[in-house]
Every structure is written in structure tokens, then in C-alpha cells.
Amino acid sequence: MLLGRVIGTVVPCVVCEGLEGVPMLMLQPLDKAGAPRGGTIVAADSTRMAGPGELVYYEGGREAALALDPWFVPVDHTIIGIVDTWGQV
């Protein structure tokens, strides 16, 4: 699992079959300390609840394609969940 912060939304002009109604969000990947790491990415939101400013965890590659229903839709990254709290317990 990877950590990121939602920084915006993406409105696609063309939607591939299987991705109808799935929000596309712009993410800033974060390192383990919560600092920005690398460039921004676009991820499908399997929770359909994440919004700008929220901390999320996401997957990339094959796991991202398996997270949505139907499986194996053409995505590189998918938001798996929203982080409620982060830090030492």
C-alpha cells in the first residue's frame, strides 16, 4: 500500500468501459514521513468517497486493476481507502 494526499479531481473526456461513474482524483504521493515524494498521479477512486485534502492509501499496477468491479479495467493506480488517523498509537 502507498500513501498519498488528494489534491484535485480529473474530469475525463472519454471514459473506458468499466470505469463509468468512478471518480478520478489527482494524488500527491507521500513518503513514510508524510513528505511529498515524486510527481503527481491520477488514481481511480474505488471508495467513491475521497475528496480534496484527504489522506488516502492506494495501489498501483495489477493490484490497482483488481480493486475495481469489473476487474482488470485500464487503470494504473486505484485508491483503496481513506486514512482516518495516522501516527503512533
Side-chain angles (χ1 to χ4, degrees):
M1 296 278 175
L2 304 166
L3 191 63
R5 184 162 309 275
V6 178
I7 59 171
T9 59
V10 176
V11 180
C13 293
V14 177
V15 178
C16 294
E17 186 176 337
L19 292 174
E20 300 89 352
V22 177
M24 297 292 171
L25 301 175
M26 184 88 69
L27 297 181
Q28 173 60 62
L30 304 174
D31 63 16
K32 292 180 183 180
R37 178 181 57 89
T40 59
I41 60 171
V42 175
D45 182 10
S46 69
T47 69
R48 294 173 172 80
M49 296 187 302
E54 290 194 285
L55 192 60
V56 296
Y57 53 97
Y58 66 97
E59 273 297 341
R62 180 182 173 144
E63 288 79 13
L66 290 170
L68 296 165
D69 187 29
W71 286 10
F72 293 113
V73 290
V75 295
D76 289 330
H77 299 93
T78 300
I79 294 172
I80 304 299
I82 299 170
V83 177
D84 290 328
T85 59
W86 182 35
Q88 203 168 6
V89 178

